Amino acid sequence: MTLSENELDVLLEIINIGVGRASKSLSEMTGSRIELSVPNIEVIGRNGFVEMSEKLESTLDQSVLQSFQGDFSGRAVLGFPTRQAFDLARIVGGIEVTDVEMDDELFGVLEEIGNIFLNNVVGSIANMLDCKLSYMLPELCSQKFFKGLLKPGQPEKQSLALIADTSFSISENDISGSLILFFETNNLKELLFKASNPSGIVHTIQK
Amino acid sequence: MGICIIDEALTIFSWNKILSRWTCKSYEVTIRSSLLEHYPHLRSRRFLDRIQSVFENHQPCLFSPSIKHPFLPIPLDNEHSDGWMLQKTVIEILGDQKQFAQICVSDVTTQYRQIQKLRIEKEQHRLSRCRTQAILDCAADAIITINENGLIEEFNRSAEQMFGYKSSELLGRNINVLMPSPIREEHDGYLKNYLQTNKPSVIGTGREVLAQRKDGTTFPLFLSVSEVVMKEKNTTEKIRRFTGIMRDLTEEKRRESELKAARKDAERLSAFGLILDRSLNEIYIFDAETFRFVHVNKGAQENTGYTMEEYRNLSPLEISLDYAPDSVMNLVEPLRNGTEDGIKFTTMHRRKDQSHYPVEVYLEAAHLGPRQVYVAVILDITERQEVEMELRQASENALCADRSKSEFLANMSHEIRTPMTAILGFNDILLENLVKPENIDAAETIKRNGNYLINLINDILDLSKVEAGKFDVECIECSPLSLVNEVISLLKVKANAKNILISSRFEGAIPKTIMSDPTRIRQILINIAGNAIKFTESGSVEIVVRLLADVDDEPKLQFDVIDTGIGIPDDKIENMFLPFTQADNSTTREFGGTGLGLTICKSLVKLLGGDLSVSSKPGEGSKFSITVSTGPLKDVVPIKDHSESTAKCVDLQSTGGREKPLQNRRILLAEDGPDNQRLISWILKKEGAKVVVADNGQIAFDLASKANSDGCPFDTILMDMHMPLLDGYEATRGLRNSGYTSTIIALTALSMVEDRQKCLQAGCDDFATKPIDRKKLIGMILEHIERKEDERGSDIQSKAQPLLD
């Protein structure tokens, strides 16, 4: 399944609405202003999968994953390189450490951040597309997750994969990570289509 | 895990036991009440919004533990912490109904506390590690830590610098790599031994060891080793580590040995400094490299005014005026390269007050322990130089005086001889014209006395010359035969008058000619034989000549004068040769004589390379033996048959009656003294010559030149060498230069060899000394005229030949 440019734009729009909400939530949590942005989004074609998974494996050391299913199913991942993950968890969690080493406390903070972020992103998509989803608890996943993508049969499952750069801006700190959306059902296009018609979108925004 | 169930309105529908225990709120209290009632803080956006999203979107919510915002503030007061429970809270929508949500609260306090503690521990450890590292890095000493197997675990920066390795090169390697053999091979053994026995040999104590750098060089270091024993958690095993702190002793040791050397130097110097101080000379010792003085003795310090301390900053360059850095190096060069053991020289030294004094320096190279030095012994030669100068002055004065004396004598002789010539000459004229016997007697007396005076003057002059060492003897060919015959013929008259037989005898082969001074030999023989005749009343005087056998390569001719006279007593023989003595004072009165003759003869004979000796028997006679050197006789013909020994014996007595020898000869006499003019003119005219007189050299020159150009030159010019206006030398030279070839004979009062040479060099053909010997002069003139005529003859002939062709 492929998405047209138009459809991608719409999707990006939807995601950013969710990202905006996540921003608010995180800001409240920490008491300091956190700005999030997802400036663009890319489709990863089947051919680019292997290359992409290798790249993700090498760069994203700490990731939070949340699965969802219902009207459409898939997985959402928010991933960071260790340094970025460390800085994010430290700044947001208010934990003073000088060593670049993730421990359980830091993992916990990362989990919550991931939870907030992904809930809002996927939730936003679901709302806009007028779909009902059920979610699994967020889980921390390691680099090995991306390795798993190479398993035979898996590519079939991922009918659509989207990748976006995310930017967390907290006071003077800029922390960049990656957002990956895996859609395992083929109906995203028609859902988008449904949402694209004027009446659908108006309806959604009002909500 | 504390669990409760709520609905969208946050009403509590379930509250489990654990939660009750934690919150101290029982089920009864909480059921059907609002969560917000119990926990109003949940009203915050953080919680409300998220709880709402659970119900709205069916999304699970996760709250991470945070001290600031625990979901449920549950106080804790156990020993693990004081404060609040740290909770991990998950809110999920419940079941199919989706009206309820389940809140699960997990107590993660302990876990998180541990994490924090670990974090703090880690940080402390890190800081501690930093501090230790800082100390290790800053330490000036090398700090190396090894494990039980001797492998290097830590190697600080100083160690890197000390040994020349980078720590990365050595971590994990055996420490013995830093040790030289044989210690290297033994170290592992030591270590093992210690680990087993715990007997420290080096632990806890410090000692000096030899270590080896990366480049292989060894150096001394001071090592102290301490052991660290750590017990690992949860094990019974002990970890043993050894830390060595090392200090490089190279610099220390170098300074120590320098100090020791300096101390030794000082000791040595003070030891023989006392000895040096005893010397009155100045003694300096300076370093061969730096040229600074190391030690000077008391004499030097006192003489120059510098103290020993001041000297330490000085070098010979400051003490002497002559020395510049280059010249000093050149000076000591022979000592440096070993060509000389010591050098001596004089120079000028400068005192502290800048005054100068001359010195003589004796310089030698030496060793003062390991140090190469120069030792100079210096003598102040101010006095010596003064004495030398005085001596030089005295010597010059003496020479001056001597010269004046000689000049005086020469002048005097000329001054006396000239009038004497006139006296004797005119006396001769008188004698010719006197008739009365008593007048003749008187004239004869004048003559006798005049001759005596002349002889006396000659003797005095000769003697003074001989004494001054100015007497020169010639070395020309002469015939001993003719010499002896001449002497005999000269003395025949005297001998005949006393009826004494005078003869000569030649024994063996006599060389035809010898190289000697005929004039002097004649003088000596005349003197001795004359004396023999004088002191013999009757009998004979014989002159015996023989050639002495070669002694080395110096053949000598011996003349014995044997008489049958009164003889000489033995005790008087010595005194005979002293000036102005005769054998007996009475003899002077009886026999006359100047008393100088024998003295002169003895000196003359010595100058001729021989000796004079006497043997005598009073009453019987005496024998005077004279030897003279003959010069080399290699090519000389020996004559055995003496019968034809009659050499040219010019019997000048017999001239009367024959034709006058100088008949019609034209002679120019250049002479400034009027008496001598008259005298010599008379002599010449008597022999038939025509005489023209010139008063000075200029007139002589003009007359001679005119006569020459007129075509009738003078046969002879007699040229007095000392004349006013133009002297004889100049006139002669002038004539010769203008091409005058006729005979010029010099007349001179000076009789030294150089004077004769001067005459000949000026161009004279011959010379005659004043007072003029009449017969000699005539003979000389004749000889030269005849020779010139012969030459001219052959000249004309040879010139004529081409014409004939």
Side-chain angles (χ1 to χ4, degrees), chain B residues 613-636:
Chain B
S613 61
V614 184
S615 65
S616 180
K617 254 205 171 97
E620 280 184 28
S622 316
K623 178 165 103 171
F624 281 72
S625 296
I626 301 134
T627 53
V628 296
S629 274
T630 61
L633 292 178
K634 269 205 300 209
D635 302 319
V636 180

Side-chain angles (χ1 to χ4, degrees), chain B residues 503-717:
Chain B
S503 62
S504 64
R505 179 157 59 88
F506 300 92
E507 280 186 6
I510 305 292
K512 190 168 175 206
T513 58
I514 60 167
M515 298 298 287
S516 191
D517 189 339
T519 318
R520 300 300 164 199
I521 295 178
R522 207 181 297 126
Q523 186 179 354
I524 293 162
L525 287 175
I526 288 173
N527 200 303
I528 306 248
N531 276 348
I533 294 173
K534 200 165 22 163
F535 290 99
T536 304
E537 284 306 319
S538 65
S540 61
V541 170
E542 197 187 16
I543 301 178
V544 184
V545 185
R546 69 169 77 85
L547 179 67
L548 290 180
D550 284 73
V551 178
D552 303 324
D553 278 316
E554 298 211 8
K556 289 207 197 332
L557 203 61
Q558 184 163 329
F559 300 88
D560 289 333
V561 180
I562 306 166
D563 69 47
T564 56
I566 61 172
I568 312 154
D570 278 332
D571 51 345
K572 308 282 187 209
I573 288 181
E574 275 296 314
N575 291 340
M576 259 189 350
F577 297 99
L578 296 173
F580 301 112
T581 54
Q582 285 166 320
D584 196 325
N585 285 334
S586 56
T587 50
T588 323
R589 276 174 261 128
E590 205 184 317
F591 294 99
T594 59
L596 283 177
L598 279 176
T599 318
I600 293 168
C601 281
K602 193 160 171 101
S603 305
L604 275 178
V605 162
K606 283 228 164 63
L607 285 174
L608 292 172
D611 204 3
L612 175 70
S613 61
V614 184
S615 65
S616 180
K617 254 205 171 97
E620 280 184 28
S622 316
K623 178 165 103 171
F624 281 72
S625 296
I626 301 134
T627 53
V628 296
S629 274
T630 61
L633 292 178
K634 269 205 300 209
D635 302 319
V636 180
V637 177
I639 299 176
K640 288 220 174 108
D641 187 1
H642 309 297
S643 54
E644 45 164 87
S645 64
T646 45
K648 279 195 302 210
C649 219
V650 181
D651 197 356
L652 297 167
Q653 302 276 22
S654 51
T655 30
R658 288 204 220 120
E659 194 188 281
K660 299 200 170 110
L662 293 179
Q663 195 66 41
N664 294 326
R665 297 292 185 191
R666 291 176 69 244
I667 299 176
L668 175 65
L669 171 63
E671 166 66 59
D672 65 324
D675 292 333
N676 276 329
Q677 282 177 353
R678 276 218 299 273
L679 178 63
I680 299 171
S681 301
W682 183 83
I683 294 170
L684 294 171
K685 282 189 186 137
K686 198 139 189 295
E687 302 301 325
K690 287 201 178 54
V691 183
V692 175
V693 174
D695 285 327
N696 59 51
Q698 187 61 54
I699 298 171
F701 178 82
D702 293 336
L703 287 172
S705 304
K706 186 165 185 299
N708 207 28
S709 55
D710 283 346
C712 44
F714 291 101
D715 290 294
T716 303
I717 302 176

